[in-house]
Amino acid sequence: MNYTETTEWLFSQLPMYQREGKSAYKADLENSTILDSRFGHPHRKYKCIHVAGTNGKGSVSHMLASIFQEAGYKTALYTSPHLKDFRERIKIDGKEIPEEYVTRFVEENREFFENLHPSFFEMTSTMAFCWFAEEGVDIAIIEVGLGGRLDSTNVITPELSVITNISLDHTALLGNTLEQIATEKAGIIKQNIPVVVGSHNPQYAHVLQQTAIDEASPITFASKEWSYTENCDGSYNYCSNQGENFRNLKCELSGTYQTENIATVLQAIATLNGRGFNIKQDAIIRGIAKVVTNTRLMGRWQILNEKPYTVCDTGHNPGAFVHLVKQMESHQHETLRIVIGMVNDKDIRTVLSMLPKSAVYYFCKPSIKRAMDEVSLMEIGKKFSLKGNCYPTVTEAFNAAKEQASPNDMIYIGGSTFVVAEII
């Protein structure tokens, strides 16, 4: 098989949550443990940082990777989902896993996989761990795919566990309350391994604290340790309770919601330095300032055009849109035009209820099995006084928005990772 045939086989033969949804979710670690044993526990050959959370875990993972790269570490990064190419998920120092390795790994192990029937994510995680070991990386930043406790990545024992924040998402799998979801996220907390949590939310903080006590794991909440002020040029000043200061800190990710993620990253590095790492302040500053350059992260308040101001973002749940709507409304514009598509298993009504009623909407359907059709999405939008038209594809919706926009308008594209993927 060539690379294209290999990835087509991966996507079509094995359950893939990104495409299939709930039916692809494996509620146990049996296959992951079998795969880990078969390949000789490859993740034990390098240090790891494990990152979970509802929103922000991708940004935090990429910032941490960028900082370690700037500090001179050979740095692996495993994230999901991908936007355009499968290989975006698996990188070392910002470079994607070679096509040849993906093809060879599948060909050499295809018979075993077909007998075991692992999920797409179980096999992909194993592939990543093996490549990182073969390349001799110093550290790997491992982002949880879904939840934490039963996620395929939870076979690792990290140097640090990070939980960015928790909000309602994937409720059919993880639970209908913040406490239930927090219990799943807390599953990455390991015995005697410190954990950094992004924000202290009294609705679920006690769940994380109790798990940390049970595991004898030191726990720190970044929001309690760090404060910040914003400068006129868009940079930030951060100060910790321990007296550590960062002046004029700039982030290559332009979303204002990154302020919480930056605090989480700063606390994560501070905790690691307290455990024997030696990450200098200049590496931290450069890493945050060059996160997109170093890791090639896409889809986080990504600016596509200046006139009309056009941005896309992969945020897709109420927790994300709390921040996204604020940023949309804070940007000066004549008319706000929103291209939006969503998938069926998301909290569509809550998201639509949060969106600005003064905007013009372009409801669309991303080309994915789980997508809600554009007519149904528009009808739900009408119940929340959202006005606009529907389009059968993302491209048609975006083209209509561009044709109708004046230079001083703003176009926002989002609602789903799949919508952003089709635009990028």
Side-chain angles (χ1 to χ4, degrees):
M1 293 188 293
N2 60 29
Y3 174 71
T4 300
E5 292 168 337
T6 301
T7 53
E8 286 176 352
W9 182 83
L10 286 172
F11 300 152
S12 64
Q13 298 300 316
L14 301 176
M16 179 184 179
Y17 182 84
Q18 187 176 358
R19 186 186 68 246
E20 303 295 337
K22 183 178 179 178
S23 64
Y25 181 62
K26 292 289 191 71
D28 62 67
L29 289 174
E30 182 179 0
N31 280 352
S32 296
T33 302
I34 292 171
L35 289 167
D36 189 41
S37 178
R38 173 181 169 83
F39 289 94
H41 314 288
H43 53 85
R44 297 180 184 176
K45 298 178 182 178
Y46 42 83
K47 297 180 185 297
C48 297
I49 298 171
H50 209 184
V51 184
T54 305
N55 297 307
K57 64 182 181 292
S59 295
V60 166
S61 296
H62 283 78
M63 279 191 250
L64 287 171
S66 181
I67 289 169
F68 274 99
Q69 287 174 229
E70 289 293 333
Y73 290 77
K74 188 171 185 178
T75 306
L77 178 62
Y78 179 55
T79 59
S80 61
H82 63 272
L83 291 178
K84 303 300 288 185
D85 184 354
F86 165 80
R87 297 183 303 134
E88 295 167 25
R89 296 166 176 258
I90 308 170
K91 299 176 183 176
I92 295 177
D93 290 340
K95 297 179 180 178
E96 297 170 350
I97 185 172
E99 292 183 359
E100 180 275 331
Y101 187 93
V102 174
T103 300
R104 176 165 54 85
F105 184 84
V106 172
E107 284 184 338
E108 290 179 354
N109 299 286
R110 179 169 172 172
E111 182 177 352
F112 178 79
F113 293 145
E114 289 179 334
N115 289 327
L116 181 64
H117 301 295
S119 71
F120 170 87
F121 195 75
E122 286 167 342
M123 192 182 64
T124 300
S125 299
T126 302
M127 180 191 302
F129 295 164
C130 288
W131 186 54
F132 297 160
E134 290 181 28
E135 291 296 313
V137 303
D138 300 314
I139 187 130
I141 315 300
I142 307 297
E143 179 192 0
V144 166
L146 180 63
R149 181 175 65 94
L150 299 176
D151 188 76
S152 302
T153 63
N154 207 26
V155 296
I156 68 174
T157 300
E159 299 295 309
L160 174 70
S161 302
V162 179
I163 300 174
T164 55
N165 67 46
I166 294 169
S167 61
L168 295 175
D169 198 11
H170 303 298
T171 53
L173 303 174
L174 304 180
N176 294 308
T177 69
L178 292 178
E179 287 186 338
Q180 289 174 327
I181 295 174
T183 299
E184 295 301 315
K185 308 290 186 185
I188 72 165
I189 299 175
K190 302 295 195 302
Q191 191 168 24
N192 297 317
I193 303 298
V195 55
V196 169
V197 181
S199 60
H200 184 279
N201 186 324
Q203 291 181 277
Y204 61 76
H206 60 284
V207 175
L208 304 177
Q209 288 172 314
Q210 187 59 54
T211 304
I213 290 170
D214 294 343
E215 297 293 340
S217 301
I219 185 169
T220 309
F221 292 88
S223 62
K224 286 193 166 187
E225 295 294 321
W226 292 86
S227 58
Y228 74 92
T229 56
E230 185 173 0
N231 301 317
C232 296
D233 63 355
S235 64
Y236 301 97
N237 303 320
Y238 277 82
C239 179
S240 78
N241 293 341
Q242 305 303 315
E244 193 170 6
N245 292 289
F246 289 85
R247 304 285 299 178
N248 303 314
L249 190 64
K250 294 186 176 181
C251 183
E252 204 170 9
L253 297 171
S254 56
T256 55
Y257 56 82
Q258 296 294 348
T259 52
E260 181 180 310
N261 294 332
I262 292 170
T264 304
V265 168
L266 294 177
Q267 184 57 43
I269 296 296
T271 302
L272 289 167
N273 279 342
R275 286 175 57 84
F277 284 80
N278 186 25
I279 310 297
K280 302 292 186 183
Q281 190 172 93
D282 60 343
I284 299 171
I285 293 170
R286 291 196 309 270
I288 293 174
K290 297 169 60 180
V291 57
V292 175
T293 301
N294 285 342
T295 70
R296 297 165 64 188
L297 175 62
M298 298 184 291
R300 272 60 169 191
W301 201 263
Q302 184 174 343
I303 301 171
L304 304 177
N305 193 37
E306 290 293 344
K307 283 191 176 294
Y309 184 72
T310 305
V311 297
C312 63
D313 195 283
T314 56
H316 54 262
N317 55 44
F321 272 94
V322 166
H323 302 287
L324 291 170
V325 170
K326 287 180 181 177
Q327 187 148 3
M328 289 181 216
E329 294 178 335
S330 68
H331 193 278
Q332 289 189 337
H333 54 259
E334 288 183 358
T335 300
L336 173 60
R337 302 179 185 276
I338 297 180
V339 176
I340 187 166
M342 300 190 73
V343 295
N344 283 308
D345 53 3
K346 298 301 176 185
D347 190 354
I348 293 172
R349 291 180 178 274
T350 301
V351 168
L352 294 181
S353 73
M354 300 168 69
L355 296 176
K357 293 173 175 47
S358 59
V360 177
Y361 287 85
Y362 303 79
F363 300 98
C364 59
K365 179 184 178 182
S367 55
I368 192 78
K369 182 178 179 180
R370 294 162 54 206
M372 171 168 279
D373 73 87
E374 68 280 8
V375 176
S376 298
L377 187 64
M378 182 177 69
E379 291 303 316
I380 297 173
K382 285 180 180 178
K383 295 179 181 179
F384 298 103
S385 302
L386 305 184
K387 300 178 179 63
N389 294 311
C390 60
Y391 302 83
T393 68
V394 175
T395 299
E396 288 175 73
F398 184 37
N399 286 340
K402 288 191 293 184
E403 289 171 5
Q404 296 170 19
S406 70
N408 295 322
D409 286 354
M410 175 180 174
I411 301 174
Y412 174 85
I413 307 133
S416 167
T417 298
F418 308 107
V419 171
V420 173
E422 291 187 40
I423 292 300
I424 291 178

